[in-house]
Amino acid sequence: MNDPSDRAVESQAAHASHHKILEVAEMLFARRGFSGVGVREVAETAGLSKSSLFHHFRNKVELYEAVLARVLARIEDRLSPTLSDDERCRERLDRWIDALIDALAEHPTTARLLLRALFEDDDRPSEPSAAGKDLQATLGRIIEGLTGILAAGVEQGVFRAVSSAHTVQTVIGATVYHFASGDFGAELCGGSLVARDAVRQRKREVKALFHHGLAAVPAGAGAGGAT
Amino acid sequence: MNDPSDRAVESQAAHASHHKILEVAEMLFARRGFSGVGVREVAETAGLSKSSLFHHFRNKVELYEAVLARVLARIEDRLSPTLSDDERCRERLDRWIDALIDALAEHPTTARLLLRALFEDDDRPSEPSAAGKDLQATLGRIIEGLTGILAAGVEQGVFRAVSSAHTVQTVIGATVYHFASGDFGAELCGGSLVARDAVRQRKREVKALFHHGLAAVPAGAGAGGAT
DNA sequence: GTCTATATCACGATAGAC
DNA sequence: GTCTATCGTGATATAGAC
């Protein structure tokens, strides 16, 4: 009973509702955004009453931030193993993209949640809560990883002299936006975006585009600029 | 007085509040989404009472759809001139990207509004209102234009054999997402995304990436795949 | 930890005077 | 076309019994 692992199991069991709530809230917030979801709906979908939920999370924004923190942590766990320096930049970029797309495809709500959070972030400029700071820090680390890969590639001359920041933006657009585009993207691409084949094709298309798009040109060999 | 142009002026004056409401609503909906904005806030920011707003727009969703319709129309006006067939695909793509970025940068609320609309679209699957159908049709035409350019380029062999649909997604990500990323993107890129120089750099970066990324490889000349 | 009951408030929308 | 006043509902959050 005083074994630490018992404590962990106990605590896990005690927080079973906790996890259920987070799961449900993640789905709902991704679908309808922060203000589009009521805590009552979250609670009852998770199988509790509203008041019980307020026992687990002090208020709605705390719940929201907990959801975001879990999602960002999941992504960081996927991404950090790809940051080992002992590889060439092109391969590191490929692995980073693969890992991010895997993370986004595995939990289909993630992409939308992230973009929504990005949008709703600078609505409330006043609230630098501790959890909020933590979220920003995690996000910063994730972005730093990609920026590092790109900057190194440029410095080593294996990538063109692109702006790392702008390329980061484009990578995010190519990955997060794609998996957040929902019905629109599904209709455009002709089927579910998270089906196994669709995910594999997305990886191929994105990696190929950046492969060709970032590759340093051998000098004097512009891509078709033969005017 | 019975001159037709007088009628136009009269009607314009009569609908002055109309335009003001649309302007305010566009800003607020872009910032906080459909459910994050109350009609009271829209009305009072526009300088009227809530009831007066309901005289101009029957209900909240009608107002929302009017905002979206105006935004999409603005974009289509910018984009359709770039669809003339008498140019090579690479130039057509460049002009399309330039026009879209111009539209997004000129009205900074547009990008966010569009992405939000995309997300909130498949929340309510039940409501095929006339205005909603119209929005979808406009969006469809816009996307069709880009798809046409890409497909033609692939068919003519000036682009690699990419998936048009996936490339459309990536272009949207590189443009709409970028200008929707707000404070996050601004911090990443080191300044306002809609400043003149920032817009010009974004155009250059995006066009260069797709220029190199889509260019057909001369056969046997993989982009650095010299393993 | 979970519940019922309640407080308080803002929401979308309408009625009707001017 | 604009307003005040109001209706009905659902929101977040709390109090307190079990």
Side-chain angles (χ1 to χ4, degrees):
Chain A
M1 273 286 193
N2 32 17
D3 186 311
S5 68
D6 274 353
R7 288 255 295 278
V9 171
E10 233 180 317
S11 150
Q12 213 175 338
H15 292 64
S17 322
H18 216 87
H19 281 56
K20 181 81 180 180
I21 293 172
L22 284 175
E23 241 174 63
V24 169
E26 180 177 331
M27 182 193 71
L28 289 175
F29 281 140
R31 279 223 267 261
R32 294 205 295 278
F34 179 80
S35 14
V37 177
V39 300
R40 182 200 159 170
E41 187 180 5
V42 176
E44 297 193 346
T45 310
L48 315 89
S49 89
K50 198 176 30 170
S51 309
S52 303
L53 190 150
F54 278 115
H55 180 83
H56 292 271
F57 302 91
R58 211 174 296 169
N59 50 43
K60 195 185 176 183
V61 303
E62 192 174 281
L63 168 62
Y64 185 65
E65 285 172 342
V67 170
L68 288 184
R70 212 177 56 139
V71 165
L72 277 182
R74 231 161 37 203
I75 296 203
E76 197 181 18
D77 282 352
R78 286 266 198 175
L79 252 32
S80 45
T82 73
L83 295 180
S84 57
D85 292 17
D86 55 333
E87 237 179 341
R88 277 147 60 205
C89 290
R90 238 175 310 118
E91 280 71 22
R92 285 169 69 195
L93 178 61
D94 281 356
R95 291 214 300 160
W96 198 94
I97 290 175
D98 278 338
L100 178 57
I101 290 184
D102 278 334
L104 296 173
E106 192 185 13
H107 266 246
T109 59
T110 301
R112 208 168 268 219
L113 202 59
L114 286 182
L115 283 193
R116 290 200 119 116
L118 208 73
F119 296 167
E120 282 160 23
D121 221 19
D122 39 32
D123 296 346
R124 26 183 127 208
S126 44
E127 207 177 340
S129 73
K133 285 278 179 189
D134 203 56
L135 291 179
Q136 261 193 323
T138 309
L139 181 59
R141 264 175 281 132
I142 293 173
I143 297 302
E144 226 171 76
L146 178 56
T147 308
I149 295 173
L150 293 170
V154 170
E155 202 189 359
Q156 293 168 19
V158 3
F159 293 155
R160 289 188 297 117
V162 296
S163 150
S164 296
H166 278 272
T167 311
V168 165
Q169 285 279 79
T170 312
V171 171
I172 295 176
T175 50
V176 183
Y177 157 73
H178 173 75
F179 285 99
S181 64
D183 287 358
F184 171 80
E187 196 191 346
L188 187 64
C189 295
S192 160
L193 298 181
V194 294
R196 273 196 64 222
D197 287 356
V199 173
R200 280 175 38 186
Q201 186 182 6
R202 186 64 193 166
K203 283 187 194 172
R204 264 192 294 120
E205 297 274 348
V206 171
K207 284 187 292 185
L209 182 73
F210 285 102
H211 216 131
H212 292 83
L214 292 180
V217 286
T227 315
Chain B
M1 276 284 195
N2 33 18
D3 186 311
S5 69
D6 274 354
R7 288 255 296 277
V9 171
E10 233 179 319
S11 150
Q12 213 176 337
H15 291 64
S17 323
H18 214 87
H19 281 55
K20 181 80 180 180
I21 293 172
L22 284 175
E23 242 173 63
V24 168
E26 182 178 328
M27 183 193 69
L28 289 175
F29 281 140
R31 279 223 266 261
R32 295 205 295 277
F34 179 80
S35 13
V37 176
V39 300
R40 182 199 159 174
E41 188 181 4
V42 176
E44 299 193 347
T45 309
L48 316 89
S49 88
K50 196 174 36 169
S51 309
S52 303
L53 190 150
F54 278 115
H55 179 84
H56 293 273
F57 301 92
R58 212 173 297 169
N59 50 44
K60 195 185 176 184
V61 303
E62 191 173 283
L63 168 62
Y64 185 65
E65 285 172 342
V67 169
L68 287 183
R70 211 177 56 137
V71 165
L72 277 182
R74 232 162 35 202
I75 295 203
E76 196 181 18
D77 283 352
R78 287 265 197 172
L79 252 32
S80 45
T82 73
L83 295 179
S84 57
D85 292 17
D86 56 334
E87 238 178 340
R88 279 149 59 209
C89 290
R90 240 176 309 119
E91 280 72 22
R92 285 169 71 195
L93 178 60
D94 281 355
R95 291 215 299 159
W96 199 93
I97 290 174
D98 278 337
L100 179 58
I101 289 184
D102 278 334
L104 296 174
E106 192 184 13
H107 266 246
T109 59
T110 302
R112 209 169 267 217
L113 201 60
L114 286 181
L115 283 194
R116 278 207 203 268
L118 208 73
F119 297 166
E120 283 160 23
D121 222 20
D122 40 31
D123 296 345
R124 26 182 126 206
S126 44
E127 205 178 338
S129 73
K133 286 277 180 190
D134 203 56
L135 290 179
Q136 261 192 324
T138 309
L139 181 59
R141 264 176 281 130
I142 292 172
I143 297 302
E144 226 171 75
L146 178 56
T147 309
I149 295 174
L150 293 171
V154 171
E155 202 189 1
Q156 293 167 20
V158 2
F159 292 155
R160 289 188 296 117
V162 297
S163 150
S164 296
H166 278 272
T167 310
V168 165
Q169 286 279 79
T170 311
V171 171
I172 295 177
T175 51
V176 183
Y177 157 72
H178 173 76
F179 285 99
S181 63
D183 287 356
F184 170 80
E187 197 190 346
L188 187 65
C189 295
S192 160
L193 298 181
V194 295
R196 273 196 64 221
D197 287 355
V199 173
R200 280 176 38 187
Q201 186 181 6
R202 186 65 193 166
K203 282 187 193 171
R204 266 192 291 120
E205 296 274 347
V206 170
K207 284 187 293 185
L209 182 75
F210 285 103
H211 216 128
H212 292 83
L214 292 180
V217 286
T227 316

